[in-house]
């Protein structure tokens, strides 16, 4: 069983949409509703990829990504930002925090699945664990 995808999203409707879409494409899914619980789950469950909502209550998705990237135990896990704010500066901030992809809300489901598959493929080709 491949490692799951971790969905960190506080909005229940978005979380369910993302999860059911991923499951329909054969991915296992685990969920978190806050940045801190997402970080904890990333450390314990070794997800193969993280979808990170950037607007979370308390700690932001950007800060959570920075923490994951500075932790040797999770730094290799690709993080894709999910945000309704899609200006160049938002995208640049996500990349600076360590995200390797950016998905805008409302979510283009077909495009999202293609982007996830591409990032996982690149990640495997790079030979990172
Ligand atoms: Mn949110």
């Amino acid at each position: 069983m491949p490692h799951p995808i971790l969905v960190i999203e506080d909005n229940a409707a978005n979380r369910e949409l993302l999860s059911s879409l991923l499951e329909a494409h054969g991915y296992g899914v685990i969920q978190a509703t806050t940045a801190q619980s997402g970080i904890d789950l990333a450390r314990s469950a070794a997800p193969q990829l993280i979808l990170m909502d950037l607007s979370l209550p308390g700690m932001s998705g950007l800060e959570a990504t920075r923490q994951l990237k500075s932790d040797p135990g999770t730094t290799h896990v690709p993080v894709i930002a999910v945000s309704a704010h899609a200006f160049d500066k938002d995208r640049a901030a996500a990349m600076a925090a360590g995200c390797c992809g950016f998905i805008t809300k409302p979510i283009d489901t077909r495009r999202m699945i293609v982007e996830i598959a591409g990032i996982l493929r690149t990640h495997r080709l790079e030979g990172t664990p």
Side-chain angles (χ1 to χ4, degrees):
M1 185 70 183
H3 292 270
I5 291 179
L6 169 57
V7 175
I8 306 177
E9 164 68 80
D10 61 313
N11 179 278
N14 284 335
R15 199 169 59 247
E16 291 311 317
L17 169 69
L18 292 168
S19 299
S20 59
L21 183 70
L22 292 168
E23 284 168 352
H25 283 80
Y27 297 108
V29 178
I30 51 178
Q31 304 178 354
T33 59
T34 66
Q36 189 57 60
S37 62
I39 289 169
D40 294 343
L41 202 48
R43 288 179 176 140
S44 63
Q48 61 173 324
L49 181 138
I50 297 171
L51 288 183
M52 178 75 77
D53 177 24
L54 295 186
S55 300
L56 293 164
M59 189 197 307
S60 73
L62 287 181
E63 176 56 25
T65 300
R66 282 191 283 269
Q67 291 196 19
L68 289 166
K69 289 295 150 182
S70 65
D71 181 339
T74 54
T75 188
H76 64 280
V77 182
V79 178
I80 300 180
V82 182
S83 177
H85 305 286
F87 292 108
D88 286 346
K89 67 175 172 55
D90 301 306
R91 205 172 283 264
M95 298 304 151
C99 295
C100 61
F102 195 98
I103 291 169
T104 57
K105 296 177 183 177
I107 291 160
D108 179 336
T109 54
R110 187 185 170 87
R111 190 168 162 185
M112 183 184 90
I113 289 298
V114 169
E115 176 154 10
I116 287 172
I119 285 173
L120 288 174
R121 188 168 157 276
T122 303
H123 204 64
R124 276 193 293 269
L125 289 175
E126 285 168 355
T128 40

